[in-house]
Amino acid sequence: MIIRLINYIKSIFTGSDKKDSMTNLILFGPPGSGKGTQAKNLMEKYNLLHISTGDLFRYEIGNNTPLGIKAKEYMNQGKLVPDEITIGMLENKINANPDVAGYLLDGFPRTIPQCEALDVFMKSKDQTITGLIALNVEDEELVKRLLKRGETSGRPDDSNEEVIRKRIAVYEEETSPVFGYYKEQNKSHTVDGVGSLEEIFTRLSTAIDSLL
Ligand code: AMP
């Protein structure tokens, strides 16, 4: 009883109870699988801060910052931005937003070194990754969706089929091992990413609820 009381008082000062109960999710899947679209609804439902590394890079590009200028070279070719740049940017974003119920990561981690860096970073904050949910969509459907998005998104990497196919190949080679990394920790789950937005949202919510 006394120990519980001491721990409770400690938690008031350290905030450790809040951190233990944070929900940190990775929304995973190839380009065009619908991560960004679904993340917008999921962040509202679960009250999470949505962090898309692609959006952060596009913001930097829009402001013509040194980071944006560097990232653009890689993005326009459909390649991944180097890990050291990406990891630093993600950590800055999390450090700048400590008072949230959790994070919904979209487009990060995309390599095994990014997973390892994320684990170390989370541990340093007394936090963990709650789970990874992957959206499963066939390659030809991805190409179709991205070309369609390119008609209105204004994204150079969406309007060129060669770049789109390169991004899918990079996903298969460099990013798909991320699923196995979290599967080893029993944290990876897959959801069918084809159907109406509502159907996919329901599937994602069911998968997330099973983690909480
Ligand atoms: P997205 O908006 O997630 O499709 O990302 C667009 C582009 O940003 C990718 O094709 C990469 O060039 C870059 N990018 C976004 N997230 C990452 C990441 N975690 N690691 C490396 N590059 C990334």
Side-chain angles (χ1 to χ4, degrees):
M1 180 68 188
I2 290 179
I3 291 174
R4 268 170 65 189
L5 184 66
I6 292 170
N7 281 342
Y8 173 69
I9 293 167
K10 259 198 208 157
S11 76
I12 292 174
F13 290 102
T14 62
S16 62
D17 259 15
K18 177 183 165 286
K19 285 178 180 169
D20 289 346
S21 64
M22 282 176 85
T23 301
N24 299 311
L25 299 171
I26 298 169
L27 193 53
F28 191 70
S33 57
K35 300 186 297 293
T37 309
Q38 293 293 340
K40 293 196 171 56
N41 296 329
L42 291 171
M43 68 177 232
E44 274 182 28
K45 174 164 182 182
Y46 294 96
N47 188 28
L48 303 173
L49 178 70
H50 173 211
I51 303 181
S52 151
T53 39
D55 284 351
L56 293 178
F57 283 132
R58 283 183 285 276
Y59 178 81
E60 299 285 338
I61 291 171
N63 287 302
N64 222 12
T65 64
L67 195 158
I69 292 165
K70 188 99 203 109
K72 194 173 168 181
E73 280 173 44
Y74 297 93
M75 290 169 76
N76 285 354
Q77 296 177 64
K79 295 181 181 166
L80 294 183
V81 179
D83 284 337
E84 59 275 17
I85 299 178
T86 310
I87 292 165
M89 181 181 71
L90 187 275
E91 292 185 355
N92 286 341
K93 180 75 181 174
I94 290 183
N95 282 334
N97 293 278
D99 295 321
V100 293
Y103 303 98
L104 179 60
L105 302 181
D106 157 7
F108 187 95
R110 254 174 156 107
T111 63
I112 295 295
Q114 290 182 18
C115 298
E116 291 165 349
L118 181 63
D119 272 359
V120 171
F121 183 64
M122 284 280 150
K123 203 164 178 207
S124 76
K125 295 186 166 300
D126 271 338
Q127 289 182 47
T128 53
I129 292 297
T130 312
L132 173 151
I133 320 264
L135 284 164
N136 190 26
V137 179
E138 294 289 314
D139 285 4
E140 288 315 306
E141 171 70 14
L142 297 172
V143 175
K144 222 168 68 188
R145 285 187 189 181
L146 289 168
L147 281 171
K148 184 145 182 34
R149 186 169 81 184
E151 291 169 10
T152 52
S153 70
R155 282 177 54 169
D157 59 346
D158 279 350
S159 23
N160 175 322
E161 184 165 340
E162 206 181 309
V163 175
I164 289 174
R165 291 199 182 271
K166 169 77 182 166
R167 287 163 65 200
I168 295 171
V170 165
Y171 172 82
E172 264 147 32
E173 281 160 32
E174 299 182 53
T175 303
S176 61
V178 167
F179 186 88
Y181 179 92
Y182 288 101
K183 194 166 171 59
E184 273 180 26
Q185 301 177 21
N186 278 323
K187 290 182 178 173
S188 289
H189 304 266
T190 304
V191 154
D192 181 1
V194 180
S196 70
L197 291 183
E198 294 76 15
E199 279 165 349
I200 300 167
F201 182 69
T202 304
R203 288 177 205 144
L204 285 167
S205 300
T206 307
I208 293 170
D209 290 344
S210 74
L211 298 171
L212 305 180

